[in-house]
Amino acid sequence: AIYVTDMHCTECAKKIARKLYAVPGVVQVKADVPKDLAFVVHQKTKDPAPRALWEAVENADFVVTKMHTTRNVER
């Protein structure tokens, strides 16, 4: 789960998803716009680096407030 600031609409969610799909190992992205959350499903054999996921969201011009992964990350 990736908590994002200011995900206002489905277009925002799509922009974030496009960047997350570019991270190796990501196979599915689901967004909960009202909760400002993006959920990432990865390949069973590949665990994407939390930093890569974080940076993908930042490259979509959004701010990550925290992440819950197998390795929790907060800034």
Side-chain angles (χ1 to χ4, degrees), residues 2-5 7 31-39 65:
I2 303 170
Y3 293 81
V4 181
T5 58
M7 188 185 339
D32 186 334
V33 175
K35 293 183 180 177
D36 290 329
L37 279 169
F39 297 96
T65 56

Side-chain angles (χ1 to χ4, degrees), residues 8-27:
H8 298 293
C9 62
T10 56
E11 289 305 312
C12 294
K14 287 178 185 177
K15 186 176 179 181
I16 292 168
R18 279 192 297 272
K19 295 292 184 176
L20 288 169
Y21 278 120
V23 176
V26 173
V27 294

